[in-house]
């Protein structure tokens, strides 16, 4: 292995950069791979920050009547934790993964709009920094500033001037609004790229499932974000120009904000889970040594989920007291999502079924994803039952449900993606041993943290309380939950160590370490600036299978 | 491995978009532009100036011609190792051969059969239900209004006499609900009938309607309290059986078609293409 000379090493040696040149090359880059890595790195940094916040939250809740942080700080912590995880971790990971992988997978040299791509990254980053600047400047730079404390969905009329003094809520609005421009821009780029830059033979029917899922995701971003932005601008009008859109005392409607927020917010949770779908659809076949089961059905299911997700938003609002007809409509529509989602789960299982399974780290994360996502979906269906929701809305049951989707599913999918594509992006393998420590600690920590929260919810513990009285039977579950959080933190430290170790002295990856089937594995690891020396050509959805098995190529059957 | 050759069929250099820091400056400018709202109007001014300058810079990157950078192509020795055959052959599944797991059933009723069956069954059921309304309550609209109460709870609160009167909205809702449910159940029948190799009429006509009735009986208090208060279970079961028998009969009468489970998609979709040559009887998973 070590005798093969790997290309990037050589070109690095040829082009000795000075520090300022190196800095310029990153700041001015329009290369989709560099931007993808910048998105991912920024997302991971924000993830670590929001993770530390989660640790403080769990430390505060470990025993009743605790005093790690006060109520005001606690409100800021859960607001910033949620906002960061959704807008500054989830969204850039989508952009990062699409950016890095889509051009490689469809055999293109770059994204359709490379400069716009760079703009998207930077405006996301500046938006994120603006949000965090609130800790210093929220009161207008005079004296102590502080972060938003209105919760990640910032319900009206709490956000009105009368109740949210100072400028912290404005930072929340502007930070998200600015970074949202980045998400829109990158979504437009993904759609344009996949529609116009596919290599020869790459018909839509042969496009990797990863790309399919990310294109649908991009459409959802484009459709879902504008209502949020509109709502936020209306809120700015309320706060600065004396409009009364959401001001109930002056005839405005607080429920209107909820509609604006959740018609964005519900599709948003599917937007966030899609990169995990995309990854699992690529990783599971490769590690089961079988083609994906029911390719067309998988594409259909993902389109169906995208479509239905725009008609279910008011299941977040059952407790508002809507008309029975609305309750029935939104409950039924929410049940409907379970159908295409079930199709996906069954197809992943059918792909694994009877396969020659290799339990490498990416596959481990995928298997855990399928299991945990199933439970997340089942508690989701439970919460879609209107009377059930009336009982458990705003309780820890809901917290447990959405952490099953975002930690147990999204995060596990992202880790699968990182373990799977890290060798392609860096040329180095992550350690399997540390990877398995990372995986098992994360699984154990995750279940210890969030399984008890279902019970806490049923026992009546409301979300967002900064402390609780003893004697309600909540103590043991909170204790277990907090211990689980600490174990998850250790798992994340393993991951960080694994990445740093691999970058310094990781084993060389080679072009195709997993014996995979999609186009990105035909170029070197890492790929050159122009991705492919000659334009690739494909004849099936698994071009590398065709090359590796000329006696039984896929194109005979597709 | 690739060898040194003088004539090569790859380009010497590839045109890539030239790096540009204007996108970053524009992003920074736009951010400052909005930050002015929460800080000071001067920040907005600076943001505006930066944005304008960056926009001009960006335009000059692309107008009149997009700036490119020539990236020299690496020496072929640095290229990716060409993908080679793995040397392992792949066992293909053959229909009818030992150990080949066929997906059963091999022949099914077309979906169309289910749709027609559902419609026929739905009509049979509706007729019987209307007879029940006429006989027991003196109005054929009685069962119609009860069904509509699933969606429109207000109807059930209107009282016994109102339930016997024709109400246009209730009629529309009931017809909609009944049609959709009938067609869906009919399709379900068509799909599942071939799975019962024996006594299909018994399953379709009696056992499934009884199971269905059991399910309804268990949940009706929640889904349609009005119907639950007024329901006559004997008639209800009779209606279900009428549906089952008619839908099952209509669906079962159609020709079964081959599932074509071992044919490639191109052929199942009947698309003519250059790839549509038959892979000499080889099936695969
Ligand atoms: Cu939702």
């Amino acid at each position: 292995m070590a005798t093969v000379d790997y290309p990037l090493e050589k070109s690095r040696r040829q082009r000795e950069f000075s520090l300022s040149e190196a800095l310029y090359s990153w700041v001015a880059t329009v290369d989709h791979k560099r931007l993808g890595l910048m998105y991912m790195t920024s997302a991971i940094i924000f993830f670590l920050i929001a993770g530390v916040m989660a640790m403080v939250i769990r430390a505060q809740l470990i025993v009743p009547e605790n005093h790690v942080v006060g109520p005001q700080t606690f409100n800021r912590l859960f607001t910033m934790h949620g906002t960061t995880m959704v807008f500054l971790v989830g969204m850039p990971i989508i952009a990062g993964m699409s950016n890095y992988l889509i051009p490689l997978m469809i055999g293109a040299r770059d994204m359709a709009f490379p400069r716009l791509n760079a703009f998207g990254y930077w405006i996301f980053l500046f938006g994120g920094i603006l949000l965090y600047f609130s800790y210093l400047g929220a009161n207008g730079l005079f004296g102590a500033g502080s972060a938003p404390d209105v919760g990640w969905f910032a319900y009206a009329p709490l956000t009105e001037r009368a109740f949210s003094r100072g400028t912290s809520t404005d930072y929340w609005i502007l930070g998200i609004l600015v970074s949202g421009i980045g998400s829109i821009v990158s979504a437009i780029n993904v759609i344009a790229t996949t529609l116009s830059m596919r290599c020869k033979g790459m018909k839509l029917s042969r496009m990797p499932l990863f790309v399919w899922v990310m294109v649908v995701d991009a459409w959802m971003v484009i459709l879902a974000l504008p209502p949020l932005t509109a709502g936020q601008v209306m809120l700015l009008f309320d706060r600065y120009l004396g409009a009364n859109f959401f001001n109930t005392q002056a005839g405005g409607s607080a429920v209107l904000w909820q509609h604006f927020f959740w018609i964005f917010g519900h599709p948003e949770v599917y937007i966030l889970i899609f990169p995990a779908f995309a990854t699992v659809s690529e990783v599971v076949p490769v590690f089961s040594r079988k083609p994906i089961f029911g390719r067309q059905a998988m594409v259909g299911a993902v389109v169906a989920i995208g479509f239905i997700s725009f008609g279910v938003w008011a299941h977040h609002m059952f407790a508002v007291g809507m008309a029975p007809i609305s309750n029935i409509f939104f409950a039924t529509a929410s049940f409907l999502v379970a159908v295409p989602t079930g199709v996906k789960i069954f197809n992943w299982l059918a792909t694994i079924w009877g396969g020659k399974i290799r339990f490498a780290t990416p596959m481990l994360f995928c298997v855990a994803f399928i299991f945990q996502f199933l439970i997340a979906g089942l508690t989701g269906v439970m919460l879609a039952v209107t009377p059930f929701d009336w009982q458990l809305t705003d309780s820890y049951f809901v917290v447990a449900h959405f952490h099953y989707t975002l930690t147990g599913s999204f995060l596990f999918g992202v880790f699968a993606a990182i373990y799977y594509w890290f060798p392609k992006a860096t040329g180095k393998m992550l350690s399997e041993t540390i990877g398995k420590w990372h995986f098992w600690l994360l699984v154990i920590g995750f279940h210890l943290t969030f399984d008890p929260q279902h019970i806490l919810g049923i026992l009546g513990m409301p979300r967002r309380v900064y402390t609780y009285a003893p004697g309600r039977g909540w103590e043991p579950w909170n204790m277990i939950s907090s211990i689980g959080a600490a174990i998850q933190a250790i798992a994340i430290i393993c991951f960080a160590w694994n990445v740093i170790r691999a970058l310094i002295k990781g084993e060389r990856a080679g072009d195709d370490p997993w014996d995979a089937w999609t186009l990105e594995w035909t170029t070197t690891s890492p790929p050159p600036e122009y991705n492919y020396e000659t334009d690739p050509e494909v004849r099936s959805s698994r071009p590398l299978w065709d090359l590796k098995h000329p006696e039984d190529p896929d194109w005979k059957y597709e | 491995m690739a060898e040194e050759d003088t004539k090569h069929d790859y380009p010497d250099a590839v045109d890539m978009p030239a790096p540009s820091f204007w996108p970053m400056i524009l992003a920074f400018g736009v951010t400052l532009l909005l930050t002015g709202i929460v800080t000071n109007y001067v920040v907005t001014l600076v943001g505006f100036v930066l944005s304008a300058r960056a926009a001009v810079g960006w335009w000059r990157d692309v107008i009149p011609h997009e700036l490119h950078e020539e990236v020299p192509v690496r020496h072929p020795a640095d290229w990716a190792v060409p993908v080679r055959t793995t040397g392992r052959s792949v066992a293909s599944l053959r229909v009818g051969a030992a150990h080949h797991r066929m997906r059963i059933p091999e022949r099914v009723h077309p979906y169309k059969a289910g749709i027609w069956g559902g419609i026929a069954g739905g009509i049979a059921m509706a007729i019987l239900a209307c007879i029940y309304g006429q006989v027991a309550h003196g109005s054929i609209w009685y069962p119609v209004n009860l069904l509509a109460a699933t969606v429109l709870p207000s109807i059930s609160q209107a009282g016994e006499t109102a339930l016997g009167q024709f109400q246009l909205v209730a009629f529309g809702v009931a017809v909609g609900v009944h049609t959709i449910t009938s067609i869906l159940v009919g399709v379900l029948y068509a799909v599942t009938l071939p799975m019962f190799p024996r006594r299909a009429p018994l399953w379709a006509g009696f056992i499934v309607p009884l199971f269905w009735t059991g399910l309804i009986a268990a949940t009706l208090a929640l889904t349609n309290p009005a119907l639950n208060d007024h329901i006559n279970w004997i008639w209800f079961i009779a209606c279900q059986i009428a549906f089952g028998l008619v839908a099952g009969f209509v669906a079962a009468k159609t020709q079964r078609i081959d599932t074509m489970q071992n044919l490639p998609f191109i052929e199942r979709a009947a698309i003519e293409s250059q790839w549509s040559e038959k892979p000499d009887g080889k099936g695969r998973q």
Side-chain angles (χ1 to χ4, degrees):
Chain A
M1 285 301 282
T3 54
V4 187
D5 207 6
Y6 282 86
L8 197 93
E9 301 297 319
K10 200 177 235 172
S11 59
R12 281 230 176 99
R13 265 183 268 123
Q14 284 160 355
R15 285 198 281 168
E16 289 285 330
F17 277 130
S18 72
L19 187 67
S20 63
E21 271 177 324
L23 194 66
Y24 175 84
S25 80
W26 283 93
V27 167
T29 188
V30 293
D31 178 3
H32 73 98
K33 295 181 292 298
R34 285 191 164 201
L35 288 167
L37 293 177
M38 283 152 79
Y39 266 120
M40 293 301 284
T41 313
S42 315
I44 289 172
I45 291 170
F46 279 122
F47 170 76
L48 294 176
I49 296 171
V52 169
M53 290 173 167
M55 290 305 126
V56 180
I57 291 173
R58 280 319 317 169
Q60 165 66 18
L61 294 174
I62 188 165
V63 289
E65 292 177 348
N66 205 3
H67 293 291
V68 177
V69 289
Q72 280 84 15
T73 315
F74 192 86
N75 289 355
R76 288 174 199 133
L77 280 173
F78 69 67
T79 302
M80 289 297 274
H81 167 77
T83 308
T84 307
M85 286 298 192
V86 170
F87 295 99
L88 305 180
V89 179
M91 299 305 270
I93 281 180
I94 295 168
M97 283 171 60
S98 324
N99 257 310
Y100 196 93
L101 293 167
I102 287 178
L104 285 169
M105 282 185 162
I106 63 173
R109 294 207 196 278
D110 206 316
M111 298 289 277
F113 308 119
R115 290 169 205 83
L116 193 65
N117 205 9
F119 172 75
Y121 168 74
W122 290 109
I123 202 152
F124 140 72
L125 185 68
F126 293 137
I129 292 172
L130 178 58
L131 180 66
Y132 272 84
F133 184 69
S134 62
Y135 270 110
L136 298 173
N139 288 337
L141 282 174
F142 299 108
S146 213
D149 55 0
V150 287
W152 86 279
F153 43 67
Y155 268 7
L158 179 63
T159 47
E160 291 293 326
R161 261 266 188 267
F163 308 107
S164 175
R165 318 289 296 179
T167 49
S168 65
T169 299
D170 304 308
Y171 274 92
W172 180 86
I173 298 171
L174 293 173
I176 292 172
L177 200 146
V178 167
S179 71
I181 300 173
S183 303
I184 291 274
V185 154
S186 117
I188 292 171
N189 217 343
V190 164
I191 292 169
T193 307
T194 41
L195 286 184
S196 61
M197 308 207 23
R198 280 168 288 134
C199 70
K200 204 171 163 203
M202 179 73 72
K203 299 192 285 192
L204 286 177
S205 60
R206 291 175 187 161
M207 210 161 67
L209 272 182
F210 180 92
V211 184
W212 259 109
V213 177
M214 296 317 273
V215 172
V216 177
D217 209 24
W219 276 110
M220 289 172 69
V221 168
I222 288 179
L223 293 173
L225 268 181
L228 174 69
T229 308
Q232 288 183 318
V233 171
M234 288 156 79
L235 188 54
L236 274 182
F237 280 14
D238 275 15
R239 291 178 61 85
Y240 282 92
L241 304 176
N244 292 310
F245 290 112
F246 309 121
N247 185 358
T248 41
Q249 281 145 319
S253 165
V255 176
L256 181 66
W257 169 265
Q258 299 195 18
H259 280 294
F260 268 105
F261 188 86
W262 288 116
I263 199 168
F264 149 80
H266 185 84
E268 172 69 13
V269 298
Y270 291 127
I271 290 171
L272 290 176
I273 198 71
F274 269 27
F277 284 5
T279 303
V280 175
S281 302
E282 293 298 327
V283 172
V284 160
V286 168
F287 289 85
S288 307
R289 312 310 300 156
K290 278 174 67 191
I292 189 88
F293 182 91
R295 216 184 107 82
Q296 287 92 4
M298 287 301 254
V299 172
V302 102
V303 174
I305 292 173
F307 189 74
I308 300 170
S309 74
F310 282 93
V312 300
W313 75 91
H315 64 209
H316 296 266
M317 301 164 54
F318 287 146
V320 159
M322 296 182 295
I325 185 86
S326 313
N327 285 343
I328 290 170
F329 176 84
F330 285 107
T332 316
S334 308
F335 297 154
L336 212 58
V337 188
V339 176
T341 313
V343 167
K344 296 197 80 69
I345 289 190
F346 280 121
N347 282 10
W348 287 320
L349 291 178
T351 309
I352 299 176
W353 181 270
K356 195 165 183 285
I357 308 166
R358 297 183 300 190
F359 279 114
T361 318
M363 183 63 169
L364 288 176
F365 276 105
C366 285
V367 173
F369 162 89
I370 297 174
F371 173 70
Q372 286 155 190
F373 179 63
L374 173 67
I375 296 177
L378 291 178
T379 51
V381 172
M382 287 157 78
L383 286 168
V385 179
T386 313
F388 187 93
D389 184 80
W390 284 335
Q391 290 298 315
L392 287 171
T393 188
D394 270 336
S395 77
Y396 258 83
F397 191 89
V398 176
V399 176
H401 159 68
F402 68 72
H403 281 90
Y404 252 81
T405 62
L406 293 180
T407 309
S409 315
F410 167 71
L411 189 64
F412 273 70
V414 170
F415 279 133
I418 292 177
Y419 276 90
Y420 185 62
W421 281 296
F422 184 89
K424 178 50 61 185
T426 62
K428 305 286 180 63
M429 298 298 285
L430 287 165
S431 154
E432 275 291 300
T433 317
I434 309 173
K436 286 195 170 120
W437 275 99
H438 169 201
F439 170 75
W440 284 110
L441 285 171
L442 192 64
V443 168
I444 294 167
F446 166 76
H447 284 281
L448 284 181
T449 310
F450 295 111
D451 297 3
Q453 293 187 1
H454 291 99
I455 301 165
L456 275 173
I458 293 167
L459 292 178
M461 180 164 168
R463 70 194 285 196
R464 294 175 169 171
V465 288
Y466 86 103
T467 192
Y468 50 95
R472 302 180 174 208
W474 298 352
E475 293 98 325
W477 306 113
N478 272 307
M479 176 72 82
I480 297 170
S481 188
S482 295
I483 292 170
I487 297 175
Q488 288 190 68
I490 300 171
I492 301 301
I493 293 169
C494 286
F495 167 69
W497 176 37
N498 203 355
V499 169
I500 295 167
R501 193 192 145 279
L503 288 175
I504 295 169
K505 54 169 192 175
E507 197 191 318
R508 288 256 163 92
D511 303 334
D512 180 17
W514 308 115
D515 192 5
W517 300 314
T518 38
L519 217 46
E520 75 270 25
W521 305 102
T522 57
T523 185
T524 49
S525 311
E529 218 173 310
Y530 44 77
N531 293 349
Y532 299 100
E533 279 83 14
T534 50
D535 289 331
E537 187 180 345
V538 301
R539 296 177 76 184
S540 78
S541 61
R542 295 194 304 165
L544 265 75
W545 172 275
D546 296 347
L547 292 169
K548 289 168 181 170
H549 299 275
E551 80 290 351
D552 186 32
D554 267 5
W555 51 260
K556 274 194 185 172
Y557 304 93
E558 280 184 359
Chain B
M1 287 258 87
E3 265 143 47
E4 192 72 55
D5 48 4
T6 40
K7 62 155 182 79
H8 47 237
D9 53 356
Y10 60 90
D12 290 317
V14 178
D15 270 355
M16 296 298 292
S20 165
F21 49 74
W22 293 120
M24 188 199 72
I25 308 284
L26 181 64
F28 191 55
V30 172
T31 309
L32 288 189
L33 199 76
L34 288 164
T35 308
I37 299 176
V38 281
T39 49
N40 192 295
Y41 72 95
V42 178
V43 178
T44 298
L45 278 181
V46 174
F48 179 78
V49 172
L50 272 182
S51 305
R53 177 65 190 93
V56 172
W58 188 332
W59 288 327
R60 294 184 58 176
D61 274 352
V62 287
I63 298 169
H65 297 292
E66 191 184 352
L67 287 186
H68 278 111
E69 174 190 56
E70 281 210 335
V71 181
V73 168
R74 299 175 298 187
H75 188 271
D78 291 340
W79 290 14
V81 183
V83 180
R84 268 168 304 198
T85 54
T86 51
R88 282 178 287 129
S89 68
V90 185
S92 293
L93 291 170
R94 271 163 231 273
V95 183
H99 308 303
H100 173 65
R101 277 172 297 168
M102 244 173 337
R103 275 170 265 162
I104 49 174
E106 276 192 285
R107 297 169 68 74
V108 291
H109 297 292
Y111 295 126
K112 209 168 53 191
I115 296 174
W116 287 117
I119 291 173
I123 292 171
M125 192 180 189
I127 292 173
L128 206 57
C130 290
I131 294 174
Y132 153 73
Q134 190 62 45
V135 171
H137 298 276
S139 162
I140 59 166
W141 304 116
Y142 191 83
V144 175
N145 289 329
L146 276 185
L147 178 59
T150 317
V151 182
L152 305 168
S154 56
I155 290 177
S156 59
Q157 287 144 15
E160 192 77 11
T161 41
L163 278 174
Q165 281 156 6
F166 175 75
Q167 297 173 49
L168 186 62
V169 179
F171 181 73
V173 168
V175 168
V177 169
H178 186 59
T179 312
I180 292 169
T181 321
S182 298
I183 290 178
L184 285 179
V185 176
V187 172
L188 205 63
Y189 263 51
V191 172
T192 50
L193 269 181
M195 312 262 190
F196 299 109
R198 261 173 283 160
R199 302 201 187 92
L202 180 68
W203 279 98
F206 295 96
I207 297 178
V208 174
L210 282 177
F211 276 146
W212 178 246
T213 307
L215 186 71
I216 300 268
T219 55
L220 197 64
L222 288 172
T223 54
N224 190 341
L227 187 54
N228 194 46
D229 293 342
H230 296 93
I231 198 161
N232 180 325
W233 286 107
I234 303 293
W235 276 93
F236 185 83
I237 293 172
C239 289
Q240 299 297 330
I241 291 178
F243 178 92
L245 282 175
V246 174
F249 178 75
V250 172
K253 251 184 51 177
T254 55
Q255 274 290 300
R256 293 189 184 195
I257 51 167
D258 200 1
T259 56
M260 303 188 281
Q261 55 177 293
N262 292 303
L263 297 185
F265 175 74
I266 279 252
E267 283 175 38
R268 275 183 283 155
I271 296 166
E272 295 278 329
S273 85
Q274 53 179 321
W275 313 124
S276 54
E277 49 176 318
K278 256 232 158 91
D280 44 27
K282 272 188 193 178
R284 63 187 309 196
Q285 216 168 18

